[in-house]
């Protein structure tokens, strides 16, 4: 009985949900991770390897892996995939030229066996920059509505001001309850 209670307690209260934060270099992944942690915009430099931090939202514990997005690092993203519950895909909304590469990376991830059960949050970042693509434009280009085998949500944000970040986390927190 005690063991069952302990397992239920662990499941509902203390379970850590693994998250990977991916996207092309310069998208704003590290800025987002540290905004979650400190509620401020921090100075970043390109990530070589990864950063990992625990983010707690209303008793929900997320272990977030922010993975470097430079081209030479993308082939090793898959070493982070096992036990991932959430993928946060960060898109630089001003980077029209490389949206096709983001699309390729997204569908490569979704086809990976280890990410079969993962839900996907797409952050359309840098929405503060004039002339950027809207979340709707990005959603259309990435053909998100065709994704039927993974829950997904797109959220526009600005990692510098923090606008939109809480809404994204809120979606993730709600999803932990339906898994
Ligand atoms: N204007 C604006 N700049 C941003 C925003 N988010 C991030 N940046 C800037 O974009 C640059 C890259 O941000 P990073 O967070 O280091 O990008 P990254 O995705 O971690 O890049 P890699 O580690 O190389 O994969 C930095 O100069 C950030 O200050 C945003 O919402 N608006
Ligand atoms: Mg980084």
């Amino acid at each position: 009985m005690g063991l069952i209670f302990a397992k239920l307690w662990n499941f509902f209260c203390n379970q850590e949900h693994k998250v990977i934060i991916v996207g092309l270099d310069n998208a704003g992944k590290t800025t987002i991770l540290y905004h979650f942690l400190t509620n401020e915009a921090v100075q970043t430099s390109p990530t070589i390897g990864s950063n990992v931090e625990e983010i707690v939202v209303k008793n929900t514990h997320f272990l977030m892996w922010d993975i470097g997005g430079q081209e030479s690092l993308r082939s090793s993203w898959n070493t982070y995939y096992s036990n991932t519950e959430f993928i946060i895909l960060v898109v630089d909304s001003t980077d029209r030229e490389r949206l096709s590469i983001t699309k390729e990376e997204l569908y490569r991830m979704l086809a990976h066996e280890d990410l079969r059960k993962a839900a996907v949050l797409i952050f359309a970042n840098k929405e503060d920059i004039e002339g950027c693509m809207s979340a709707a434009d990005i959603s259309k280009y990435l053909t998100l509505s065709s994704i039927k085998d993974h829950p997904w949500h797109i959220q526009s944000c600005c990692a510098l001001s923090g606008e939109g970040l809480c809404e994204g986390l809120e979606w993730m927190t709600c999803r932990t309850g339906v898994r």
Side-chain angles (χ1 to χ4, degrees), residues 25-31 44 46-47 68-69 125-126 128-129 158-160:
D25 47 295
N26 201 49
K29 301 177 293 297
T30 305
T31 312
T44 60
T47 306
N125 191 32
K126 305 197 184 182
D128 57 305
I129 300 178
C158 169
L160 295 186

Side-chain angles (χ1 to χ4, degrees), residues 21-33 41-49 51 66-70 73 77 90 92 94 124-129 157-162:
I21 309 179
V22 291
L24 304 188
D25 47 295
N26 201 49
K29 301 177 293 297
T30 305
T31 312
I32 288 175
L33 175 68
V42 297
Q43 185 84 25
T44 60
S45 49
T47 306
I48 308 299
N51 301 297
D66 155 40
I67 310 171
Q70 289 175 50
L73 302 173
W77 284 0
V90 183
D92 176 343
T94 68
N125 191 32
K126 305 197 184 182
E127 290 286 332
D128 57 305
I129 300 178
C157 72
C158 169
L160 295 186
S161 68

Side-chain angles (χ1 to χ4, degrees), residues 64-76:
M64 297 201 179
W65 292 85
D66 155 40
I67 310 171
Q70 289 175 50
E71 191 175 359
S72 58
L73 302 173
R74 286 177 218 149
S75 60
S76 57

Side-chain angles (χ1 to χ4, degrees), residues 81-99:
Y81 290 172
S82 68
N83 299 317
T84 293
E85 287 184 45
F86 293 96
I87 303 166
I88 297 182
L89 173 67
V90 183
V91 180
D92 176 343
S93 306
T94 68
D95 193 356
R96 287 184 162 76
E97 292 71 29
R98 298 197 302 165
L99 198 51

